[in-house]
Amino acid sequence: MNVTERARVRRIPKRGAYDSETIYAILDAGFLAHVGFCLDGQPFVIPTLYGRSEEKLYLHGSAASRMLRQLETGVPACVSVTLVDGLVLARSAFHHSMNYRSVVAFGTARKIAEPEMKKEALRVISEHVIAGRWNEVRGPYEKELKATSVLEFAIEEASAKIRTGPPVDEEEDYALGVWAGVLPVELEAKSPVPDSRIVDGLEVPQYVLRFRNR
Ligand SMILES: Cc1cc2nc3c(=O)[nH]c(=O)nc-3n(C[C@H](O)[C@H](O)[C@H](O)COP(=O)(O)OP(=O)(O)OC[C@H]3O[C@@H](n4cnc5c(N)ncnc54)[C@H](O)[C@@H]3O)c2cc1C
């Protein structure tokens, strides 16, 4: 992927990566993004779902969303996705850290107006979050499509940053009687909770169980 100075990792550059494979793998493992943009000189960073197809991210929401209305004007935007893999507990307060995989992507968005393309982008978002759901649910009515704004964010350039491994302490601190190591963490899906008005006899779909056990 192309990288200019804007996207080059300067702080601990060895943790930076710019190849599409690494960046897409992180984007595909997550589904929550934080979208940054400026409005009248005020930066906003708004959490939102996304889907990915090649170098495009799809964002959606209410047609009244300020974030989407601002982004569709083509203002420069920055999308960041973070996966936390562990708390890195060092012997000194200073050397505590996190294990993580994150992506910072720069680009601009455009509104998708054509209904079939809009539906396809919504399918991409839905399948990105929980694969298999789109084929089961009722598709959007025309009025629902109208009430939904869908944007295509074209990634112009992006960086990934990845930290793995144990804490790195000062040599003299390894002798301290302080427990140190990594506390691995991950997002975990619990047992599905059926809605109280579900039609009798329906089992939890396989794709829901697959998501839970992924
Ligand atoms: C879960 C998590 C927790 C973190 N906690 C802290 C913390 O508490 N304190 C702290 O200082 N830092 C923390 N970081 C690291 C932080 O994201 C920055 O990398 C770091 O602060 C350096 O920022 P900078 O603006 O000086 O980076 P620079 O290296 O100057 O940034 C230049 C460019 O590098 C890229 N870049 C920078 N950081 C990232 C990133 N994380 N992922 C992808 N691309 C990146 C961007 O394109 C950016 O424009 C954390 C990261 C994660 C993922």
Side-chain angles (χ1 to χ4, degrees):
M1 199 166 276
N2 279 344
V3 185
T4 67
E5 281 312 295
R6 173 172 70 162
R8 187 165 302 286
V9 175
R10 277 174 283 270
R11 176 91 193 100
I12 319 189
K14 67 173 190 224
R15 293 188 183 154
Y18 309 96
D19 60 292
S20 306
E21 201 184 330
T22 303
I23 288 166
Y24 292 168
I26 295 170
L27 293 175
D28 290 349
F31 54 75
L32 170 65
H34 287 82
V35 180
F37 58 93
C38 270
L39 182 55
D40 299 331
Q42 168 66 55
F44 294 90
V45 178
I46 305 293
T48 193
L49 294 174
Y50 67 94
R52 181 187 79 83
S53 178
E54 300 299 327
E55 79 292 2
K56 306 277 176 30
L57 297 180
Y58 294 99
L59 313 174
H60 83 308
S62 158
S65 155
R66 181 196 56 186
M67 171 185 77
L68 297 175
R69 280 191 286 120
Q70 180 65 5
L71 291 179
E72 74 186 37
T73 65
V75 292
C78 181
V79 175
S80 141
V81 171
T82 307
L83 308 168
V84 176
D85 295 323
L87 307 187
V88 179
L89 307 176
R91 290 157 185 84
S92 63
F94 181 80
H95 283 295
H96 279 69
S97 189
M98 307 282 280
N99 280 340
Y100 60 79
R101 291 160 287 155
S102 56
V103 164
V104 173
F106 300 94
T108 54
R110 69 170 189 95
K111 188 174 184 165
I112 302 179
E114 203 276 312
E116 282 312 307
M117 287 174 72
K118 215 167 154 176
K119 248 193 254 179
E120 171 56 16
L122 290 170
R123 189 193 66 78
V124 169
I125 297 171
S126 176
E127 289 297 288
H128 186 101
V129 177
I130 177 161
R133 187 72 182 154
W134 187 259
N135 283 340
E136 186 179 8
V137 297
R138 169 181 71 70
Y141 290 141
E142 206 180 312
K143 66 170 187 205
E144 292 171 336
L145 266 188
K146 278 200 179 122
T148 307
S149 187
V150 184
L151 265 54
E152 180 185 271
F153 174 86
I155 300 175
E156 283 163 17
E157 56 176 335
S159 54
K161 196 170 172 184
I162 299 171
R163 189 200 187 280
T164 56
V168 180
D169 271 307
E170 297 301 324
E171 202 44 51
E172 67 270 21
D173 288 343
Y174 282 90
L176 292 175
V178 176
W179 189 90
V182 173
L183 180 61
V185 295
E186 64 177 328
L187 186 69
E188 185 194 7
K190 306 277 189 193
S191 292
V193 180
D195 182 63
S196 61
R197 295 182 59 181
I198 202 169
V199 169
D200 281 346
L202 280 184
E203 304 223 327
V204 179
Q206 283 303 315
Y207 63 81
V208 174
L209 298 174
R210 263 202 310 277
F211 182 98
R212 191 182 170 217
N213 300 322
R214 81 195 192 283

